[in-house]
Amino acid sequence: MKIIVLNGFDTDNLFEKYLNSWFESKKVLVANLKIRDLELGPCRSCGSCGTRTPGQCVLKDGIEDVMKTVVTADVMILLSPVHFGGYSATLKKVLDRFMLLGLPTYFVKKGHLLHQNRYGKKTFMGLGVMSKDLALETSKAAMENFQKIVEANANNLLYDYSTTFINDQAATETWDQSLNKIFTGVSI
Amino acid sequence: MKKMIIFNGSPRKQGTSVRFAETLGKHAAAQGVEVMDIVHIIDLIDKKITIDMCIALIDAVDTIGICMPLYVDYMPYPVLFFLERIQEVAMEKLAGKQLFAVMQSGFPDIRLMASTFEALRIFAVESTMKWMGGLAFGGGAIINGTSMDKLGKKGAKISHAFQMAVEDLVLNQPFQPKVQTVLEQKIPIILFYPLTWYMNGSAKKQAKANGVDLFRRVYQTFH
């Protein structure tokens, strides 16, 4: 099983380090894409990846290397601080380019127009990091919304998905429990 | 006099989001609102403008609007970048201001836009702004950057919805549900099937004309 972490943090942080050491302790090789270190620009909505250069971005900004790694993944961990109940801008910069993972053809499922995937079925694991009291009303709304976005992204490519939240103020034992829970039943 | 600024969240400067911003601006001006500018957020990403310039504009208005496309089921990266930076460096300047959004997607289905509006509502709560609501338009691909006045009845309907939205803003009240009802194109789900058949056929035809395989796996390398 190949796991890729799409790391949407802007700066070094304790949880990111903990996650790397957690995977090491499980003897799992993980590709960690620190998006903040990549020279990536925004999707320009030129539409070329639809039918002119199907599945290929015409921008030469490092997206090719990202995609070559991403298409090999079985599981993509969408690691992000929860900002306004969604992804960080840094993570979304890469996800905006994920039109490349879908075909420009559609089908209808449960009343939604969905894309067919180009590289087969994968799994999105949303890993939202909260830096506020999880009991606060806005935090609950934020987690609910984050979950819905991960679900929509997965559904749109016919991927499996799960979402877990980490409180960055919590003790590392709690982080450990959360990570164990995420990977329960996943053969890593 | 109320003052408004509208941000275009699309990387395209002549697309549907900008046409919507212009139409909103026209109605705002007609109702006595001074529209300071339509600012392209992509210029912030491209370093043609600075966050300080955006903050100076925000500081001068009571109402902030964002027109944007739906990208991969959520707001586009440039809009998120913009919101993060503003909150980071000038959250106190947002307090008490009205915030609204108009989102459009190429598809007729508008349900996925709810997550963006909820995120903007949370942003508004965190920034002690007044969330006025989000308006969703499905079918942006049909408009494809055309002015409302060249779209006949369809354009008139969209324009009317925006006029109603501005009326609510002027009255300092959140968008009433009827604004969304007027804006919405009611396409029954049953029609998604022939639409899918048409769009898929069209995509295959275009790829054939371009001499490319629509289903190719460009980034897959075999070792």
Side-chain angles (χ1 to χ4, degrees):
Chain A
M1 167 150 315
K2 186 156 186 185
I3 300 172
I4 290 177
V5 178
L6 294 169
N7 183 340
F9 276 99
D10 283 335
T11 52
D12 290 347
N13 61 88
L14 286 176
F15 179 70
E16 173 188 275
K17 280 181 193 159
Y18 183 83
L19 184 64
N20 288 337
S21 59
W22 188 85
F23 278 122
E24 274 173 30
S25 73
K26 303 281 177 192
K27 301 193 186 329
V28 178
L29 273 180
V30 172
N32 187 1
L33 281 181
K34 273 190 193 174
I35 301 165
R36 63 180 180 266
D37 292 341
L38 306 174
E39 290 290 327
L40 280 182
C43 170
R44 299 278 167 177
S45 195
C46 68
S48 184
C49 62
T51 56
R52 281 198 297 277
T53 59
Q56 185 172 28
C57 186
V58 292
L59 298 177
K60 304 295 176 201
D61 61 352
I63 190 64
E64 190 166 338
D65 291 338
V66 172
M67 293 310 296
K68 279 181 180 170
T69 308
V70 159
V71 300
T72 64
D74 300 298
V75 173
M76 280 183 257
I77 297 178
L78 310 178
L79 172 64
S80 175
V82 178
H83 287 174
F84 336 123
Y87 303 133
S88 67
T90 300
L91 178 61
K92 190 63 174 32
K93 181 159 60 169
V94 166
L95 297 181
D96 277 1
R97 313 287 287 272
F98 274 11
M99 280 302 295
L100 301 167
L101 291 176
L103 293 169
T105 50
Y106 305 92
F107 70 101
V108 184
K109 189 180 175 188
K110 292 180 183 169
H112 286 280
L113 271 178
L114 304 174
H115 286 284
Q116 287 156 320
N117 58 53
R118 193 179 286 274
Y119 295 95
K121 193 168 189 170
K122 301 179 188 297
T123 299
F124 278 150
M125 284 187 176
L127 188 47
V129 180
M130 305 285 292
S131 53
K132 291 170 188 164
D133 184 352
L134 300 186
L136 287 174
E137 198 184 326
T138 48
S139 296
K140 281 183 185 169
M143 288 192 288
E144 211 174 284
N145 205 48
F146 188 96
Q147 209 157 2
K148 279 182 187 165
I149 299 165
V150 175
E151 182 182 347
N153 285 164
N155 285 344
N156 211 358
L157 285 165
L158 290 179
Y159 289 179
D160 290 331
Y161 69 93
S162 65
T163 310
T164 305
F165 295 96
I166 297 282
N167 185 343
D168 70 357
Q169 312 292 315
T172 53
E173 291 78 26
T174 314
W175 291 351
D176 191 57
Q177 283 167 12
S178 299
L179 292 173
N180 283 327
K181 193 177 140 197
I182 298 174
F183 289 99
T184 301
V186 179
S187 157
I188 56 174
Chain B
M1 181 193 256
K2 205 178 237 324
K3 290 181 180 177
M4 181 194 288
I5 186 161
I6 305 173
F7 289 94
N8 164 35
S10 170
R12 298 173 67 193
K13 292 184 178 179
Q14 296 297 329
T16 303
S17 296
V18 171
R19 295 290 97 88
F20 282 2
E22 289 168 353
T23 308
L24 277 160
K26 190 185 81 180
H27 287 298
Q31 293 183 50
V33 178
E34 187 181 348
V35 182
M36 305 298 283
D37 211 344
I38 295 174
V39 178
H40 303 289
I41 297 176
I42 195 71
D43 284 345
L44 181 66
I45 306 291
D46 291 337
K47 298 185 168 57
K48 291 177 183 170
I49 56 172
T50 64
I51 194 69
D52 288 342
M53 290 159 77
C54 296
I55 290 164
L57 286 164
I58 286 170
D59 204 20
V61 301
D62 342 88
T63 304
I64 300 162
I66 305 175
C67 294
M68 64 186 138
L70 178 77
Y71 267 21
V72 192
D73 314 315
Y74 195 42
M75 65 180 100
Y77 149 70
V79 178
L80 272 173
F81 176 85
F82 168 70
L83 297 175
E84 285 179 2
R85 291 294 90 79
I86 288 185
Q87 211 180 53
E88 186 185 328
V89 301
M91 190 154 82
E92 73 286 353
K93 291 191 187 291
L94 298 171
K97 295 184 193 297
Q98 293 183 341
L99 176 68
F100 73 92
V102 178
M103 185 167 237
Q104 52 89 17
S105 149
F107 304 140
D109 192 352
I110 61 168
R111 287 169 290 178
L112 290 172
M113 299 180 201
S115 295
T116 294
F117 296 148
E118 175 63 359
L120 288 169
R121 187 193 67 79
I122 293 170
F123 173 85
V125 169
E126 289 178 356
S127 312
T128 58
M129 300 179 82
K130 189 173 179 191
W131 173 238
M132 307 305 281
L135 298 173
F137 182 82
I142 302 163
I143 295 174
N144 198 23
T146 310
S147 298
M148 298 309 110
D149 54 6
K150 290 179 184 159
L151 282 169
K153 280 183 185 171
K154 189 192 298 291
K157 196 167 164 255
I158 296 167
S159 186
H160 178 53
F162 289 164
Q163 183 187 354
M164 292 165 69
V166 172
E167 281 167 11
D168 284 338
L169 293 173
V170 170
L171 292 170
N172 295 319
Q173 63 186 21
F175 295 149
Q176 296 179 71
K178 64 183 178 187
V179 182
Q180 180 61 48
T181 307
V182 171
L183 182 65
E184 208 163 308
Q185 299 199 98
K186 288 187 180 61
I187 301 176
I189 287 170
I190 191 78
L191 290 183
F192 284 10
Y193 292 93
L195 187 66
T196 301
W197 176 81
Y198 170 77
M199 290 192 299
N200 290 353
S202 172
K204 285 172 190 166
K205 205 184 280 181
Q206 283 173 36
K208 197 175 173 187
N210 291 330
V212 285
D213 173 13
L214 197 62
F215 304 97
R216 64 189 189 160
R217 295 178 166 193
V218 182
Y219 297 115
Q220 191 156 305
T221 50
F222 297 96
H223 301 284

